[in-house]
């Protein structure tokens, strides 16, 4: 409960002070060859509304479909949790949806350099951490 109060206080302060919160994401729908991560697919999301980037990867019998877009945190987290049971990377029929909240985080995967003990990526995926919090907020 204390976290909810802190979160709403910070959000309220930022909105009242006129600070705009905007994120950039990749936005596109492409099949197979490209994963929509070229500079012409970069968009500015709606200020103070679309606060996350969403990435959907659909494995079909004829290849891979990529969908990327800006999203609200509620819509993205609900979609990603709803499709969690259908996510089986590399398997035909798989639908994987992920959400993240750093600029251009729905872009290409970072390639690891060196050994398998490479430092973890700094990209923040919030599906597992914020989903329970979001559901509590939405249900109260």
């Amino acid at each position: 409960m204390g976290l909810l109060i802190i979160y709403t206080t910070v959000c309220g302060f930022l909105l009242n002070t006129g600070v705009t919160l905007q994120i950039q994401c990749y936005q596109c729908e492409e099949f197979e060859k490209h994963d929509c991560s070229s500079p012409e697919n970069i968009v500015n999301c709606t200020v103070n509304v679309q606060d996350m980037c969403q990435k959907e990867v659909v494995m079909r019998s004829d290849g891979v479909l990529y969908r990327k877009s800006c999203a609200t945190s509620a819509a993205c987290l609900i979609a990603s949790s709803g499709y969690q049971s259908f996510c089986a990377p590399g398997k035909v029929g798989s639908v994987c949806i992920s959400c993240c909240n750093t600029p251009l985080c729905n872009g290409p995967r970072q390639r690891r350099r060196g050994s398998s003990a490479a430092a973890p990526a700094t990209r923040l995926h919030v599906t597992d951490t914020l989903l329970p919090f979001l559901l509590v907020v939405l249900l109260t």
Side-chain angles (χ1 to χ4, degrees), residues 49-67:
V49 176
Q50 295 175 311
D51 54 350
M52 298 193 95
C53 299
Q54 180 172 316
K55 180 177 183 178
E56 181 177 349
V57 181
V58 180
M59 297 294 297
R60 301 182 348 187
S61 60
D62 56 345
V64 182
L65 175 67
Y66 296 93
R67 286 190 190 109

Side-chain angles (χ1 to χ4, degrees), residues 7 11 23 45-46 48-54 69-81 97-101 126-127 130-131 133-135 137-138:
Y7 177 76
C11 287
I23 189 170
C45 301
T46 305
N48 292 330
V49 176
Q50 295 175 311
D51 54 350
M52 298 193 95
C53 299
Q54 180 172 316
S69 64
C70 298
T72 64
S73 54
C76 193
L77 294 172
I78 290 169
S80 66
S81 65
I97 299 176
S98 59
C99 308
C100 53
N101 64 356
V126 297
T127 304
L130 283 183
L131 183 60
F133 175 75
L134 178 64
L135 291 176
V137 171
L138 292 174

Side-chain angles (χ1 to χ4, degrees), residues 13-93:
F13 173 77
L14 290 174
L15 292 174
N16 286 334
T17 58
V19 175
T20 58
L21 302 173
Q22 186 173 39
I23 189 170
Q24 284 188 320
C25 299
Y26 290 97
Q27 182 169 305
C28 60
E29 184 170 328
E30 290 189 21
F31 188 70
E32 188 141 352
K33 301 264 186 224
H34 307 284
D35 72 348
C36 303
S37 299
S38 55
E40 64 267 12
N41 292 323
I42 296 173
V43 297
N44 292 318
C45 301
T46 305
V47 176
N48 292 330
V49 176
Q50 295 175 311
D51 54 350
M52 298 193 95
C53 299
Q54 180 172 316
K55 180 177 183 178
E56 181 177 349
V57 181
V58 180
M59 297 294 297
R60 301 182 348 187
S61 60
D62 56 345
V64 182
L65 175 67
Y66 296 93
R67 286 190 190 109
K68 297 181 181 185
S69 64
C70 298
T72 64
S73 54
C76 193
L77 294 172
I78 290 169
S80 66
S81 65
Y83 278 91
Q84 202 168 29
S85 62
F86 298 102
C87 183
K91 186 176 179 183
V92 173

